[in-house]
Amino acid sequence: MTMTLRGATSAVALMTAIFPGLLAVPASAQEANRLPTVTVEGRPDNGGTLLSDEPLASKAAGTADTAELLRDLPGVTLATGGAFSSLPVMNGMADDRIRLLVDGMTVTAACPNHMNPPLIYVASGRVEAIESMAGVTPVSLGGDSIAGTIVVEPEAPKFAEPGQDLITGRVSTFYRSNGDALSVFGTQTVAKDDLSFTYAGSWSRTDDYEGGGPNRTVRATESENYDHNLTVGIRRGSDLLTLRGGLRYSPYEAFPNQYMDLTDNESQYLNGRYQGDFAWGKLDLRGYWQHVEHEMDMLADKGGAMPMNTRTTDLGYSLKAEIPLTERDLLRIGTELHSLTMDDWWPPVAGSMMMGPGTFVNINNGTRTRIGSFAEWEAQWTSAWSTQLGLRNDIVLMDTGDVRPYGTNMMQAADVAAANAFNALDRDRTDVNVDATAIIRFEPTETVAYSLGYARKTRSPSLYERYTWGRGDMAMAMINWFGDGNGYVGNPDLDPEVAHTLAFTGDWRAPNNGWRVKVTPYVSYVENYIDADQIGTFGMMGGPFVKLQFANHDALLYGADVSVDAALIRGASFGDLDISAGLGIVQGENRDTKDDLYRLNPLHGRLALSHRLGDWSNAVELRASAGKDDVSTTRKELETPGYALVNLRTAYQWDSIRLDAGIDNLLDQRWYDPLGGVDLYEWGTNMNLMAVEGEGRSFNVGLTVSF
Ligand SMILES: [Cu+2]
C-alpha cells in the first residue's frame, strides 16, 4: 500500500511532519484513475493510526450517512438519527460538544431536534480525508468544543501536468436490499495545470428498513436527499485558491426517535480558501457562508400536523499562519470568526385550540457570534522528545429577541406565563473562554511512541440550550435532540462547560510493520457540564417521559480505546491475511446527582479478518457490544441487550472498475443500538415502550467506475 501525504490544512501538515502517519491521503492527480485507497484517522496526542485500508471511496459509496465513515475510529461511536443524520460521539460526548469542521466551515444544526447536523452537508462520496482527534486537541483545531475535533475535507482540486489537460471523473452507485436503499454519486473534473473545475453530485433514497429476525419494519426510517457542488481551483506556483459552492436538498427524512420528521431541508453554501507559501511560512485563509431553511412536520408513518420552521445563516472566516522560527521551533497563530443567526417558529394549525391562532415564536432573531484567537508552539527537542503548547481565547456573544406562544387560551397558560417571564429577562450573554493544551511526546525508537496530553477546553451553550423557553407539554416535547422522548426547556443562566482532559497513549509496533498495538486511556473532569434536571412530568401526554431543564453540573468521564492490527500471513499463494481489532469503553457520572450520564456506549468492539489477493479483497467482520445497564435515570434512558453482528464484504478491482458486494448482519440478528434512543413511532402508535431496533440483514452491491 502506498501512501502520499498531503497537507490538508497547514496545521494538519505540521502535525503530519511531527507525528508521521497522522495523515495518509491518497490520489495524486496522476493516479486519478485509481480510487483513493486510504482512510484516515489520527490524533495528535497519540500519533494517529492508519485505521483501515478499505478504499474510502468504496466505503463512502456504501452509505448515504457520512457519519458512518467515522464509525471505526477509536473513541468514536454514533448516535442514531435519521437515515443520513447520525451524530458522532467522541469519548462519550456528542453533537455540539465536538468541533466538526466540514471543508473548514463551522455549521450549526438548524433544528430543535438536530436533524441536520454538520456532516449531512458533505456527501459521503465527496470525502477525501477525515481526521479525528478525541480528547486532547491542539488549540489550532479547537475552540467552543470539549470532546475533540473532526475535520472532514472534500476532494481537493486536481490539476493537470504542465502543458497537458486533465479530464477525470468517477461514478458510483450502491444498492442495499434492506429498505431498498439506492445511492448514486458522480464527480467530473476538467483541468489544466493551473485551473481546475469539478462538479460533484449525489442522490440517495431509502424506504423504512426491516429489523432483524421475523419481519418487522422499523417505521419512520425512510429518507431522500441530493446535492450539487462546484469546485474551482486556481494554482499559481505554490499558491492555491479554492472556491466552492453548492446546494443540498432533502424532501423528507423520518426520525424513529423523534416526535417529528424532516419534511424539507434546503441549504446553499459558498466557501473560499487561499493557501500560500511565503519566505516566513505558510498562510491559510478561509471564508464561508451557509444558509439553511428547515421544515419539520410528521410524515405518513406518524400522521398528524404540526409545522415547525427553522432558518439559519452561518458566516465565518479563519486566518492561520504557520511560522518556522528555528530548526527546532514552530509557531502557529490564528484568528477566526463564526457568526450564527437563527429564527425558529411554528406556524398555527387551522382549527387547533393548542396550535393557534397565532405563530409560536421559539427563537426570534437569535444570534451567536464567536471570535477566537490562538497561539501554538511546537518544539522538537531531540529526535525522541517533542512538545506542543497552545493557548486559545474565544469570546462568545449571544442574544435573542422577544418570543410569543400560539395564543392566550387556557390550554396555553404555561407557555403564556413562560413567554412573559422570558421577555422580561435581559438575555444578552457574553462568555470569555480560555483553552490550553499541552502535549509531550517521547519516541525513543521507531517502534515505540508515548504521548501524554492535558487540555482545558470550553464550550458555550447553544442558542437552543440557553433560549428555548416553552413550558407547555407540547412545546417542551418539541425541544429534544437526544432521542429520549423527554421534553426540554432552555436555561438563560447556563455557564459554559469546561473540560479538563488527561490522555495517555502507548503505541507499539513491529519493526517490519507486521503488527501494531495502541492503547489510549483518558479521563475528563467537566466543570458545569450541561446536563438536565427534572422539573415535571407530562400530565396529558402520559407515558414515562419527563420534563427537563438544562442545568450545569460537574461530571466525570473516563475510558479507554485499544486497537490492534497485525499481518497474519504475507505472500502465500492464496494471498495476504490481516487481522484488526478495536475495543472501547467509557463511563460517565454526574458528580452532583451521582447519576450515570446519558448516551454512553457500553463496552464495544470490532474484530475483522481481511484477505487480499491481487485486486481481489475480502473481509469478515464481527461487531459486538455488551448490554447497556448503566443508564441515566434522570432521562429515563432505556437499557439495551448486548449483541454481536457479522458482516461480510468482497470487492474486485479491474483497471478502472470496482465491484463491491456484501452482506450486513449476516445472521439477521435482532439488535438495539445502545445509543439509538426510544422508538417514538412504536410509543405513539402502539403505546409500546422500546428502543429503536437496528437494521436486519441486508444484501449490498456497489459499482464504481473511474474515468
Ligand atoms: Cu427538524
Side-chain angles (χ1 to χ4, degrees):
M1 177 170 55
T2 56
M3 293 179 274
T4 53
L5 298 178
R6 178 180 67 84
T9 66
S10 55
V12 170
L14 181 93
M15 286 186 298
T16 302
I18 293 187
F19 307 126
L22 176 71
L23 186 68
V25 189
S28 65
Q30 298 89 319
E31 295 173 299
N33 267 346
R34 297 299 285 187
L35 294 175
T37 52
V38 176
T39 186
V40 163
E41 183 272 339
R43 307 188 206 197
D45 59 336
N46 66 11
T49 309
L50 193 61
L51 186 80
S52 151
D53 63 353
E54 182 182 5
L56 187 57
S58 161
K59 207 171 167 183
T63 176
D65 187 3
T66 302
E68 278 291 333
L69 303 181
L70 305 169
R71 189 179 279 284
D72 295 335
L73 303 183
V76 178
T77 50
L78 299 179
T80 305
F84 53 78
S85 308
S86 299
L87 297 168
V89 184
M90 289 183 116
N91 290 359
M93 296 187 270
D95 205 350
D96 285 339
R97 294 193 165 101
I98 300 171
R99 164 109 343 274
L100 254 167
L101 293 168
V102 175
D103 200 5
M105 299 193 284
T106 294
V107 170
T108 312
C111 166
N113 299 162
H114 286 198
M115 289 177 172
N116 44 20
L119 284 176
I120 73 164
Y121 295 110
V122 56
S124 55
R126 287 180 65 219
V127 174
E128 177 173 284
I130 297 174
E131 199 193 347
S132 131
M133 288 150 285
V136 179
T137 312
V139 294
S140 56
L141 289 173
D144 204 26
S145 58
I146 61 173
T149 299
I150 296 172
V151 179
V152 178
E153 295 288 350
E155 283 187 305
K158 295 184 180 75
F159 293 95
E161 295 295 304
Q164 295 182 5
D165 293 331
L166 175 70
I167 298 176
T168 180
R170 186 171 90 241
V171 174
S172 61
T173 180
F174 208 88
Y175 174 76
R176 296 173 60 85
S177 67
N178 196 342
D180 267 336
L182 187 61
S183 64
V184 180
F185 172 80
T187 179
Q188 174 72 54
T189 294
V190 179
K192 295 190 157 306
D193 65 339
D194 56 355
L195 184 64
S196 165
F197 292 92
T198 299
Y199 164 83
S202 71
W203 172 80
S204 74
R205 65 161 295 286
T206 180
D207 289 336
D208 289 345
Y209 64 77
E210 301 289 322
N215 274 0
R216 193 184 85 80
T217 302
V218 179
R219 303 285 288 271
T221 53
E222 80 264 47
S223 73
E224 180 174 0
N225 73 93
Y226 50 84
D227 74 339
H228 301 282
N229 306 273
L230 274 177
T231 301
V232 180
I234 301 168
R235 191 164 68 170
R236 294 280 180 280
S238 60
D239 292 0
L240 176 63
L241 184 67
T242 309
L243 304 171
R244 298 183 198 269
L247 50 94
R248 185 181 183 288
Y249 177 59
S250 175
Y252 61 90
E253 183 187 15
F255 283 73
N257 57 8
Q258 295 291 351
Y259 297 106
M260 308 301 293
D261 300 307
L262 180 156
T263 53
D264 190 284
N265 198 83
E266 298 176 32
S267 63
Q268 305 88 35
Y269 74 92
L270 291 170
N271 183 336
R273 181 182 192 187
Y274 166 79
Q275 295 158 275
D277 271 331
F278 298 89
W280 53 264
K282 286 181 175 164
L283 186 68
D284 188 339
L285 172 65
R286 299 180 102 134
Y288 60 88
W289 167 88
Q290 173 157 302
H291 182 70
V292 180
E293 298 191 12
H294 174 73
E295 292 180 12
M296 286 200 288
D297 210 327
M298 282 162 265
L299 294 169
D301 277 339
K302 292 176 190 159
M306 183 182 177
M308 298 171 67
N309 299 338
T310 310
R311 203 165 283 190
T312 61
T313 301
D314 289 288
L315 190 67
Y317 72 79
S318 71
L319 176 63
K320 293 181 182 184
E322 192 179 289
I323 308 161
L325 298 175
T326 68
E327 281 280 286
R328 187 194 69 197
D329 303 294
L330 189 132
L331 178 68
R332 203 174 300 124
I333 53 174
T335 174
E336 64 186 57
L337 171 85
H338 172 241
S339 151
L340 163 71
T341 55
M342 174 185 288
D343 280 298
D344 192 301
W345 72 101
W346 311 345
V349 175
S352 167
M353 283 286 284
M354 282 179 71
M355 296 176 277
T359 295
F360 186 105
V361 177
N362 186 34
I363 302 271
N364 176 19
N365 190 29
T367 56
R368 190 181 193 276
T369 305
R370 179 169 61 89
I371 304 140
S373 42
F374 66 83
E376 197 167 271
W377 169 44
E378 307 257 3
Q380 185 76 43
W381 299 97
T382 69
S383 61
W385 289 95
S386 60
T387 56
Q388 184 197 76
L389 292 173
L391 195 63
R392 172 175 186 112
N393 169 250
D394 287 277
I395 298 170
V396 181
L397 310 162
M398 290 169 67
D399 203 357
T400 188
D402 284 355
V403 297
R404 46 161 296 177
Y406 281 112
T408 54
N409 70 38
M410 289 251 302
M411 292 169 75
Q412 299 159 337
D415 288 334
V416 172
N420 289 337
F422 186 83
N423 290 340
L425 282 179
D426 175 13
R427 297 174 299 262
D428 199 346
R429 296 286 180 275
T430 302
D431 303 320
V432 179
N433 301 333
V434 177
D435 286 7
T437 295
I439 300 168
I440 182 162
R441 187 170 162 82
F442 178 53
E443 203 169 354
T445 71
E446 296 221 318
T447 57
V448 57
Y450 304 102
S451 77
L452 181 67
Y454 161 80
R456 175 199 154 102
K457 294 170 65 60
T458 314
R459 179 183 76 95
S460 283
S462 70
L463 287 175
Y464 287 119
E465 285 169 330
R466 252 183 186 154
Y467 294 140
T468 50
W469 56 273
R471 297 275 184 151
D473 286 3
M474 200 180 58
M476 287 192 67
M478 295 298 109
I479 309 300
N480 185 328
W481 51 93
F482 306 97
D484 61 9
N486 298 309
Y488 287 80
V489 64
N491 180 352
D493 294 329
L494 284 179
D495 287 321
E497 43 186 25
V498 180
H500 303 271
T501 301
L502 202 58
F504 167 81
T505 295
D507 184 349
W508 300 269
R509 70 186 102 186
N512 60 356
N513 279 324
W515 54 265
R516 184 173 188 183
V517 176
K518 273 178 58 179
V519 180
T520 302
Y522 57 87
V523 56
S524 285
Y525 190 86
V526 188
E527 298 172 75
N528 291 320
Y529 181 88
I530 299 175
D531 204 335
D533 290 341
Q534 194 175 330
I535 58 166
T537 55
F538 287 101
M540 212 178 62
M541 296 178 69
F545 306 119
V546 293
K547 292 177 170 177
L548 300 164
Q549 181 171 33
F550 296 111
N552 290 122
H553 288 286
D554 284 4
L556 178 68
L557 296 102
Y558 53 93
D561 296 302
V562 178
S563 64
V564 179
D565 297 272
L568 294 182
I569 296 169
R570 280 284 177 273
S573 56
F574 59 86
D576 296 340
L577 207 56
D578 288 7
I579 190 166
S580 75
L583 199 65
I585 178 79
V586 61
Q587 295 277 306
E589 184 189 64
N590 179 320
R591 296 293 291 163
D592 299 331
T593 64
K594 307 296 178 202
D595 194 10
D596 286 311
L597 296 181
Y598 180 67
R599 205 154 61 180
L600 297 181
N601 225 103
L603 177 70
H604 58 280
R606 169 183 181 267
L607 181 67
L609 201 60
S610 51
H611 164 253
R612 185 181 296 268
L613 179 62
D615 290 330
W616 186 37
S617 57
N618 300 286
V620 51
E621 176 189 63
L622 177 75
R623 277 180 194 281
S625 170
K628 179 167 175 60
D629 34 47
D630 291 337
V631 291
S632 164
T633 50
T634 307
R635 304 195 194 212
K636 309 281 181 187
E637 187 174 19
L638 298 181
E639 296 190 359
T640 51
Y643 63 83
L645 306 176
V646 178
N647 303 322
L648 297 180
R649 277 198 295 274
T650 183
Y652 194 85
Q653 170 111 35
W654 292 270
D655 232 10
S656 57
I657 297 174
R658 181 183 165 96
L659 187 65
D660 282 273
I663 306 172
D664 285 346
N665 196 353
L666 176 72
L667 304 174
D668 204 25
Q669 295 288 296
R670 175 165 290 184
W671 66 287
Y672 302 88
D673 187 332
L675 309 188
V678 181
D679 188 329
L680 291 175
Y681 167 83
E682 275 296 323
W683 173 253
T685 309
N686 304 320
M687 294 284 274
N688 180 18
L689 183 67
M690 59 182 282
V692 175
E693 195 180 332
E695 271 195 66
R697 181 164 44 220
S698 182
F699 298 91
N700 311 324
V701 57
L703 179 69
T704 302
V705 181
S706 304
F707 47 86

